[in-house]
Amino acid sequence: MTGGYPLLVADLVGVAVFAASGASAGVAKRLDLFGVAFVGFAAALGGGILRDLVIGAAPPLAFADWRYAVTAVAASIAAFWLHPALHRVRRTVLALDAAGLGLFTVTGTLKALEAGVPAVGACLVGMLTGIGGGVIRDLLTGEIPVVLQREIYAVVALGGAVLVAVLHRLGLAGVIPLAAAAVAMTAVRLIALRRRWSAPVAVP
Amino acid sequence: MTGGYPLLVADLVGVAVFAASGASAGVAKRLDLFGVAFVGFAAALGGGILRDLVIGAAPPLAFADWRYAVTAVAASIAAFWLHPALHRVRRTVLALDAAGLGLFTVTGTLKALEAGVPAVGACLVGMLTGIGGGVIRDLLTGEIPVVLQREIYAVVALGGAVLVAVLHRLGLAGVIPLAAAAVAMTAVRLIALRRRWSAPVAVP
Amino acid sequence: MTGGYPLLVADLVGVAVFAASGASAGVAKRLDLFGVAFVGFAAALGGGILRDLVIGAAPPLAFADWRYAVTAVAASIAAFWLHPALHRVRRTVLALDAAGLGLFTVTGTLKALEAGVPAVGACLVGMLTGIGGGVIRDLLTGEIPVVLQREIYAVVALGGAVLVAVLHRLGLAGVIPLAAAAVAMTAVRLIALRRRWSAPVAVP
């Protein structure tokens, strides 16, 4: 865990939000409680598991640190029970999801670079960390991954990963620049979301 | 291979049964002989391959020991030819499947613990070993994994994995207690199956 | 990279062709440009990534050598724009795809053998290297993998992998015999394709 306690807390918030998104998809497919928890776990931790497999970190953090699994499962169960309420706060969920995307991409890129993966590969690993959970969530629920159909989401991840790689190359990969990169990604993602909401109206 | 020859034989029986379940799913989707063998292989060995990737055991046992692959492929081809007969003995197949679930979960949990994975992660790895093959089988045949929709199956695996972790922590992970854990899981699974069969009748 | 510069060039040609096949599948599913590039990347490099994960080569070549990723993405983007033209040259694409299958299977089998994987496992890894990208492509686009339904494709890969393992065992795994194996696989695949084209006519 690069960056100590504050990063851990931020990481777990990202895990919880991604788990809620996976759990909601599971509820929508009428999975049972176990299935909802499984999809929530996979959505929250699948990207990080892929990252750790690729960089050769065995066992992946999701299995090595119980706080990740417990957070993912607890958030999934909460989403299972609070699903109708979750829908009412979906703007909050989307904002947290954007924050999770930024955070996971930054930490994923950084871990890959520190594991010795060259820059281009590290950017791909970082992007995969950010979007991988959502891809697995959609495959498990029988959908073509939505991230392949909504360009902005993944492109934000890729752009953020490149930014982190550049900061790292310049020796500027301190806590503050990295946090700024994550915040910037979150902001771009939220702006993109807002524009997308109005896009269908503009088309004749 | 923890436990020597008897465990190997039990393991290969589990592989054969899981392969037959995968092959049957492939036949039902009208795959050709190769596709049936491939899905059978994935159903039988996919859980163990995931386990070995997660605990960093390269190459996975499915590729390191030819007996696993040969057993899986032979059982798949047998299921391809004997498919109608397989349906007539489906209670036997379900019983063997329950035994395979118990066995794979026990060995998966144990291997994870012995590879140094902490207890919570090892339980997840054990459960994944038990249910992973079925998840991959369903993804390959275009279905939402049935294990996500049938709560009891995976919960039995998770409960058994926790039991194994507790036995291991108490220094009681000998052959007899572990075999008892596998038998207990099989029994719970079979009882759950039987109750489920009558459940739809009970609901108004 | 076994075999030096000529092999690298051949490998990248295979990557480009497989990426184009993945990208075409993405276009057919109306994915956006990012989705098309992602599926192209996965189709081109997924088999090799699976291979490297199984043999414990971290990070996989697809992430360690930027030329692979750049080739895959560039070919995918080209396919995105040239898609109608691609359809007109589909015989060329099928021929290159057959060559890619032969090449990837040969190099995959060889890498597994050199990583110490026993012969049976190495053949499976080689076959998986050849067909894995196509399997992932189809899963990402919501299809049952076509390779499970078209027997000849994967059987050619498996036969070629066995041939490479035999050559390796006999100490004959030089450049010329291996290239001959790849060419033979390509030829068998093309003959199989041609016969298949006329097969529906022959059936009453």
Side-chain angles (χ1 to χ4, degrees), chain C residues 14-26 35-50 62 68 72-73 76 97 100-101 104 128-141 153:
Chain C
V15 165
V17 175
F18 278 28
S21 89
S24 298
V36 166
F38 190 92
V39 176
F41 179 91
L45 300 171
I49 292 170
L50 288 178
Y68 284 78
V73 170
S76 299
D97 181 83
L101 177 71
F104 281 23
L128 204 60
T129 311
I131 71 171
V135 170
I136 296 174
R137 173 198 66 208
D138 293 344
L139 293 179
L140 286 174
T141 52
Y153 195 84

Short mmCIF file of all heavy atoms in Angstrom, two decimals, chain C residues 14-26 35-50 62 68 72-73 76 97 100-101 104 128-141 153:
data_model
loop_
_atom_site.label_atom_id
_atom_site.label_comp_id
_atom_site.label_asym_id
_atom_site.label_seq_id
_atom_site.Cartn_x
_atom_site.Cartn_y
_atom_site.Cartn_z
N GLY C 14 1.09 -10.84 -36.74
CA GLY C 14 0.00 -11.62 -36.14
C GLY C 14 -0.85 -10.77 -35.21
O GLY C 14 -2.08 -10.84 -35.23
N VAL C 15 -0.20 -9.96 -34.40
CA VAL C 15 -0.92 -9.06 -33.49
C VAL C 15 -1.84 -8.14 -34.27
O VAL C 15 -3.02 -7.97 -33.92
CB VAL C 15 0.08 -8.24 -32.63
CG1 VAL C 15 -0.62 -7.06 -31.96
CG2 VAL C 15 0.76 -9.13 -31.60
N ALA C 16 -1.32 -7.56 -35.36
CA ALA C 16 -2.12 -6.62 -36.15
C ALA C 16 -3.35 -7.31 -36.75
O ALA C 16 -4.46 -6.76 -36.73
CB ALA C 16 -1.25 -6.00 -37.26
N VAL C 17 -3.16 -8.53 -37.26
CA VAL C 17 -4.29 -9.22 -37.89
C VAL C 17 -5.34 -9.61 -36.85
O VAL C 17 -6.54 -9.42 -37.06
CB VAL C 17 -3.80 -10.47 -38.64
CG1 VAL C 17 -4.97 -11.25 -39.18
CG2 VAL C 17 -2.85 -10.07 -39.75
N PHE C 18 -4.89 -10.13 -35.74
CA PHE C 18 -5.84 -10.50 -34.68
C PHE C 18 -6.55 -9.26 -34.14
O PHE C 18 -7.75 -9.30 -33.83
CB PHE C 18 -5.12 -11.24 -33.55
CG PHE C 18 -4.90 -12.71 -33.83
CD1 PHE C 18 -4.79 -13.21 -35.11
CD2 PHE C 18 -4.83 -13.62 -32.78
CE1 PHE C 18 -4.61 -14.56 -35.37
CE2 PHE C 18 -4.65 -14.98 -33.01
CZ PHE C 18 -4.54 -15.45 -34.31
N ALA C 19 -5.82 -8.15 -34.03
CA ALA C 19 -6.45 -6.90 -33.59
C ALA C 19 -7.54 -6.48 -34.58
O ALA C 19 -8.63 -6.05 -34.17
CB ALA C 19 -5.40 -5.80 -33.45
N ALA C 20 -7.24 -6.62 -35.87
CA ALA C 20 -8.25 -6.25 -36.87
C ALA C 20 -9.49 -7.12 -36.75
O ALA C 20 -10.62 -6.63 -36.89
CB ALA C 20 -7.65 -6.35 -38.28
N SER C 21 -9.28 -8.42 -36.45
CA SER C 21 -10.45 -9.30 -36.29
C SER C 21 -11.27 -8.88 -35.07
O SER C 21 -12.50 -8.86 -35.11
CB SER C 21 -10.01 -10.77 -36.17
OG SER C 21 -9.76 -11.14 -34.84
N GLY C 22 -10.58 -8.52 -33.98
CA GLY C 22 -11.29 -8.07 -32.80
C GLY C 22 -12.00 -6.75 -33.04
O GLY C 22 -13.16 -6.57 -32.65
N ALA C 23 -11.30 -5.84 -33.72
CA ALA C 23 -11.89 -4.54 -34.00
C ALA C 23 -13.13 -4.69 -34.88
O ALA C 23 -14.14 -4.01 -34.65
CB ALA C 23 -10.85 -3.63 -34.67
N SER C 24 -13.06 -5.57 -35.86
CA SER C 24 -14.23 -5.79 -36.73
C SER C 24 -15.42 -6.29 -35.93
O SER C 24 -16.56 -5.85 -36.15
CB SER C 24 -13.89 -6.81 -37.82
OG SER C 24 -12.84 -6.32 -38.63
N ALA C 25 -15.15 -7.21 -34.99
CA ALA C 25 -16.24 -7.70 -34.14
C ALA C 25 -16.81 -6.55 -33.32
O ALA C 25 -18.03 -6.47 -33.11
CB ALA C 25 -15.72 -8.82 -33.23
N GLY C 26 -15.95 -5.66 -32.84
CA GLY C 26 -16.41 -4.51 -32.07
C GLY C 26 -17.25 -3.56 -32.90
O GLY C 26 -18.29 -3.07 -32.45
N GLY C 35 -14.03 1.23 -27.42
CA GLY C 35 -14.43 -0.17 -27.29
C GLY C 35 -13.82 -1.03 -28.39
O GLY C 35 -13.37 -2.15 -28.14
N VAL C 36 -13.81 -0.49 -29.60
CA VAL C 36 -13.22 -1.22 -30.72
C VAL C 36 -11.73 -1.46 -30.46
O VAL C 36 -11.21 -2.56 -30.68
CB VAL C 36 -13.45 -0.42 -32.03
CG1 VAL C 36 -12.57 -0.95 -33.15
CG2 VAL C 36 -14.93 -0.49 -32.41
N ALA C 37 -11.04 -0.42 -29.99
CA ALA C 37 -9.60 -0.59 -29.71
C ALA C 37 -9.38 -1.58 -28.57
O ALA C 37 -8.44 -2.38 -28.60
CB ALA C 37 -8.98 0.77 -29.36
N PHE C 38 -10.26 -1.55 -27.57
CA PHE C 38 -10.12 -2.45 -26.43
C PHE C 38 -10.31 -3.91 -26.85
O PHE C 38 -9.52 -4.78 -26.50
CB PHE C 38 -11.14 -2.08 -25.35
CG PHE C 38 -10.94 -2.78 -24.03
CD1 PHE C 38 -10.17 -2.20 -23.03
CD2 PHE C 38 -11.52 -4.02 -23.78
CE1 PHE C 38 -9.99 -2.83 -21.82
CE2 PHE C 38 -11.34 -4.66 -22.57
CZ PHE C 38 -10.58 -4.07 -21.57
N VAL C 39 -11.36 -4.16 -27.63
CA VAL C 39 -11.61 -5.53 -28.09
C VAL C 39 -10.49 -5.97 -29.04
O VAL C 39 -10.04 -7.12 -29.00
CB VAL C 39 -12.99 -5.64 -28.77
CG1 VAL C 39 -13.21 -7.04 -29.33
CG2 VAL C 39 -14.10 -5.31 -27.76
N GLY C 40 -10.00 -5.03 -29.88
CA GLY C 40 -8.89 -5.36 -30.75
C GLY C 40 -7.64 -5.73 -29.96
O GLY C 40 -6.97 -6.73 -30.24
N PHE C 41 -7.35 -4.93 -28.94
CA PHE C 41 -6.21 -5.23 -28.05
C PHE C 41 -6.38 -6.59 -27.41
O PHE C 41 -5.45 -7.41 -27.38
CB PHE C 41 -6.14 -4.14 -26.98
CG PHE C 41 -5.03 -4.32 -25.98
CD1 PHE C 41 -3.77 -3.76 -26.19
CD2 PHE C 41 -5.23 -5.06 -24.82
CE1 PHE C 41 -2.74 -3.93 -25.27
CE2 PHE C 41 -4.20 -5.24 -23.89
CZ PHE C 41 -2.96 -4.67 -24.12
N ALA C 42 -7.57 -6.86 -26.88
CA ALA C 42 -7.81 -8.13 -26.19
C ALA C 42 -7.72 -9.31 -27.14
O ALA C 42 -7.17 -10.36 -26.79
CB ALA C 42 -9.17 -8.10 -25.50
N ALA C 43 -8.23 -9.14 -28.37
CA ALA C 43 -8.18 -10.24 -29.34
C ALA C 43 -6.74 -10.51 -29.76
O ALA C 43 -6.34 -11.66 -29.96
CB ALA C 43 -9.03 -9.89 -30.56
N ALA C 44 -5.95 -9.44 -29.88
CA ALA C 44 -4.58 -9.59 -30.37
C ALA C 44 -3.65 -10.11 -29.28
O ALA C 44 -2.76 -10.92 -29.54
CB ALA C 44 -4.06 -8.25 -30.89
N LEU C 45 -3.85 -9.64 -28.06
CA LEU C 45 -2.86 -9.90 -27.01
C LEU C 45 -3.40 -10.76 -25.88
O LEU C 45 -2.63 -11.20 -25.00
CB LEU C 45 -2.34 -8.56 -26.47
CG LEU C 45 -1.66 -7.71 -27.57
CD1 LEU C 45 -1.34 -6.31 -27.07
CD2 LEU C 45 -0.39 -8.39 -28.07
N GLY C 46 -4.71 -11.04 -25.88
CA GLY C 46 -5.30 -11.82 -24.80
C GLY C 46 -4.71 -13.22 -24.69
O GLY C 46 -4.45 -13.71 -23.59
N GLY C 47 -4.49 -13.87 -25.84
CA GLY C 47 -3.91 -15.21 -25.80
C GLY C 47 -2.51 -15.20 -25.20
O GLY C 47 -2.17 -16.05 -24.37
N GLY C 48 -1.71 -14.22 -25.60
CA GLY C 48 -0.36 -14.12 -25.06
C GLY C 48 -0.34 -13.74 -23.59
O GLY C 48 0.53 -14.18 -22.83
N ILE C 49 -1.31 -12.91 -23.17
CA ILE C 49 -1.39 -12.53 -21.75
C ILE C 49 -1.74 -13.76 -20.92
O ILE C 49 -1.11 -14.01 -19.88
CB ILE C 49 -2.41 -11.39 -21.54
CG1 ILE C 49 -1.90 -10.10 -22.20
CG2 ILE C 49 -2.69 -11.17 -20.07
CD1 ILE C 49 -2.92 -8.97 -22.27
N LEU C 50 -2.73 -14.54 -21.37
CA LEU C 50 -3.05 -15.79 -20.66
C LEU C 50 -1.81 -16.68 -20.57
O LEU C 50 -1.51 -17.24 -19.51
CB LEU C 50 -4.17 -16.54 -21.39
CG LEU C 50 -5.58 -15.95 -21.31
CD1 LEU C 50 -6.55 -16.80 -22.12
CD2 LEU C 50 -6.04 -15.88 -19.86
N ALA C 62 2.75 -8.30 -23.47
CA ALA C 62 1.86 -7.27 -23.99
C ALA C 62 1.99 -5.96 -23.20
O ALA C 62 1.70 -4.88 -23.72
CB ALA C 62 0.41 -7.76 -23.94
N TYR C 68 3.99 -4.11 -28.86
CA TYR C 68 2.82 -4.97 -28.99
C TYR C 68 1.53 -4.18 -28.83
O TYR C 68 0.61 -4.27 -29.64
CB TYR C 68 2.89 -6.13 -27.98
CG TYR C 68 3.87 -7.20 -28.39
CD1 TYR C 68 5.24 -7.02 -28.22
CD2 TYR C 68 3.44 -8.38 -29.00
CE1 TYR C 68 6.16 -7.98 -28.63
CE2 TYR C 68 4.34 -9.34 -29.41
CZ TYR C 68 5.70 -9.14 -29.22
OH TYR C 68 6.59 -10.08 -29.64
N ALA C 72 -1.25 -3.28 -31.73
CA ALA C 72 -2.65 -3.73 -31.60
C ALA C 72 -3.60 -2.56 -31.69
O ALA C 72 -4.63 -2.63 -32.39
CB ALA C 72 -2.83 -4.47 -30.27
N VAL C 73 -3.29 -1.47 -31.00
CA VAL C 73 -4.20 -0.32 -30.99
C VAL C 73 -4.22 0.34 -32.37
O VAL C 73 -5.29 0.70 -32.88
CB VAL C 73 -3.80 0.67 -29.88
CG1 VAL C 73 -4.58 1.97 -30.02
CG2 VAL C 73 -4.03 0.03 -28.51
N SER C 76 -6.24 -1.71 -34.68
CA SER C 76 -7.67 -1.62 -34.35
C SER C 76 -8.27 -0.32 -34.88
O SER C 76 -9.38 -0.32 -35.44
CB SER C 76 -7.87 -1.68 -32.83
OG SER C 76 -7.38 -2.90 -32.32
N ASP C 97 -5.11 -14.36 -40.71
CA ASP C 97 -5.57 -14.91 -39.43
C ASP C 97 -5.06 -16.34 -39.26
O ASP C 97 -4.63 -16.73 -38.18
CB ASP C 97 -7.10 -14.88 -39.37
CG ASP C 97 -7.64 -15.42 -38.06
OD1 ASP C 97 -7.68 -14.66 -37.08
OD2 ASP C 97 -7.98 -16.61 -38.00
N GLY C 100 -1.51 -16.08 -38.36
CA GLY C 100 -1.38 -15.68 -36.96
C GLY C 100 -1.63 -16.84 -36.01
O GLY C 100 -0.91 -17.03 -35.04
N LEU C 101 -2.64 -17.64 -36.33
CA LEU C 101 -2.93 -18.82 -35.50
C LEU C 101 -1.72 -19.74 -35.45
O LEU C 101 -1.30 -20.19 -34.37
CB LEU C 101 -4.14 -19.57 -36.09
CG LEU C 101 -4.51 -20.87 -35.37
CD1 LEU C 101 -5.11 -20.59 -34.01
CD2 LEU C 101 -5.49 -21.69 -36.21
N PHE C 104 1.27 -17.89 -33.46
CA PHE C 104 1.05 -17.73 -32.03
C PHE C 104 1.10 -19.08 -31.32
O PHE C 104 1.59 -19.18 -30.19
CB PHE C 104 -0.31 -17.07 -31.76
CG PHE C 104 -0.30 -15.58 -31.95
CD1 PHE C 104 0.64 -14.95 -32.74
CD2 PHE C 104 -1.25 -14.78 -31.32
CE1 PHE C 104 0.65 -13.58 -32.91
CE2 PHE C 104 -1.26 -13.40 -31.48
CZ PHE C 104 -0.31 -12.81 -32.27
N LEU C 128 -3.91 -22.41 -26.33
CA LEU C 128 -4.57 -21.27 -25.68
C LEU C 128 -4.01 -19.94 -26.18
O LEU C 128 -4.76 -18.96 -26.33
CB LEU C 128 -4.37 -21.38 -24.16
CG LEU C 128 -5.38 -20.70 -23.26
CD1 LEU C 128 -6.77 -21.24 -23.49
CD2 LEU C 128 -4.99 -20.89 -21.80
N THR C 129 -2.70 -19.91 -26.46
CA THR C 129 -2.10 -18.70 -27.01
C THR C 129 -2.71 -18.40 -28.38
O THR C 129 -2.98 -17.24 -28.72
CB THR C 129 -0.58 -18.86 -27.15
OG1 THR C 129 -0.04 -19.35 -25.92
CG2 THR C 129 0.09 -17.55 -27.50
N GLY C 130 -2.92 -19.46 -29.16
CA GLY C 130 -3.46 -19.27 -30.50
C GLY C 130 -4.93 -18.88 -30.52
O GLY C 130 -5.35 -18.02 -31.29
N ILE C 131 -5.72 -19.49 -29.65
CA ILE C 131 -7.18 -19.27 -29.72
C ILE C 131 -7.71 -18.35 -28.62
O ILE C 131 -8.84 -17.90 -28.69
CB ILE C 131 -7.98 -20.60 -29.67
CG1 ILE C 131 -7.93 -21.24 -28.28
CG2 ILE C 131 -7.47 -21.58 -30.73
CD1 ILE C 131 -8.87 -22.44 -28.13
N GLY C 132 -6.88 -18.07 -27.59
CA GLY C 132 -7.37 -17.33 -26.42
C GLY C 132 -7.87 -15.94 -26.75
O GLY C 132 -8.90 -15.49 -26.21
N GLY C 133 -7.17 -15.25 -27.64
CA GLY C 133 -7.60 -13.90 -28.02
C GLY C 133 -8.99 -13.91 -28.63
O GLY C 133 -9.83 -13.06 -28.31
N GLY C 134 -9.26 -14.88 -29.48
CA GLY C 134 -10.57 -14.98 -30.10
C GLY C 134 -11.66 -15.30 -29.09
O GLY C 134 -12.78 -14.79 -29.19
N VAL C 135 -11.32 -16.14 -28.11
CA VAL C 135 -12.29 -16.46 -27.06
C VAL C 135 -12.66 -15.21 -26.27
O VAL C 135 -13.83 -14.91 -26.03
CB VAL C 135 -11.73 -17.56 -26.12
CG1 VAL C 135 -12.61 -17.72 -24.89
CG2 VAL C 135 -11.61 -18.89 -26.87
N ILE C 136 -11.63 -14.43 -25.88
CA ILE C 136 -11.88 -13.20 -25.12
C ILE C 136 -12.66 -12.19 -25.96
O ILE C 136 -13.59 -11.54 -25.47
CB ILE C 136 -10.55 -12.61 -24.62
CG1 ILE C 136 -9.88 -13.60 -23.65
CG2 ILE C 136 -10.76 -11.26 -23.97
CD1 ILE C 136 -8.49 -13.18 -23.20
N ARG C 137 -12.27 -12.07 -27.24
CA ARG C 137 -13.01 -11.17 -28.16
C ARG C 137 -14.51 -11.49 -28.16
O ARG C 137 -15.35 -10.61 -28.01
CB ARG C 137 -12.46 -11.35 -29.58
CG ARG C 137 -13.23 -10.62 -30.67
CD ARG C 137 -12.91 -11.21 -32.05
NE ARG C 137 -13.40 -12.58 -32.13
CZ ARG C 137 -12.88 -13.54 -32.90
NH1 ARG C 137 -11.84 -13.29 -33.66
NH2 ARG C 137 -13.40 -14.75 -32.91
N ASP C 138 -14.83 -12.79 -28.25
CA ASP C 138 -16.24 -13.18 -28.34
C ASP C 138 -16.95 -12.97 -27.01
O ASP C 138 -18.12 -12.56 -26.99
CB ASP C 138 -16.34 -14.64 -28.78
CG ASP C 138 -15.86 -14.84 -30.22
OD1 ASP C 138 -15.74 -13.82 -30.94
OD2 ASP C 138 -15.59 -15.98 -30.61
N LEU C 139 -16.26 -13.24 -25.88
CA LEU C 139 -16.90 -13.00 -24.59
C LEU C 139 -17.19 -11.52 -24.40
O LEU C 139 -18.25 -11.14 -23.92
CB LEU C 139 -16.00 -13.51 -23.45
CG LEU C 139 -15.81 -15.03 -23.37
CD1 LEU C 139 -14.88 -15.39 -22.22
CD2 LEU C 139 -17.15 -15.75 -23.20
N LEU C 140 -16.23 -10.66 -24.80
CA LEU C 140 -16.43 -9.21 -24.63
C LEU C 140 -17.57 -8.69 -25.50
O LEU C 140 -18.19 -7.68 -25.16
CB LEU C 140 -15.14 -8.45 -24.97
CG LEU C 140 -14.01 -8.54 -23.95
CD1 LEU C 140 -12.75 -7.87 -24.50
CD2 LEU C 140 -14.41 -7.87 -22.64
N THR C 141 -17.83 -9.34 -26.62
CA THR C 141 -18.91 -8.87 -27.50
C THR C 141 -20.18 -9.69 -27.33
O THR C 141 -21.08 -9.63 -28.19
CB THR C 141 -18.46 -8.88 -28.97
OG1 THR C 141 -17.93 -10.18 -29.29
CG2 THR C 141 -17.35 -7.85 -29.21
N TYR C 153 -10.61 -24.97 -36.39
CA TYR C 153 -9.70 -23.90 -35.99
C TYR C 153 -8.83 -24.29 -34.80
O TYR C 153 -7.61 -24.24 -34.85
CB TYR C 153 -10.54 -22.67 -35.63
CG TYR C 153 -9.77 -21.38 -35.54
CD1 TYR C 153 -9.48 -20.65 -36.68
CD2 TYR C 153 -9.32 -20.90 -34.32
CE1 TYR C 153 -8.78 -19.46 -36.60
CE2 TYR C 153 -8.61 -19.71 -34.25
CZ TYR C 153 -8.35 -19.00 -35.39
OH TYR C 153 -7.65 -17.84 -35.30
#
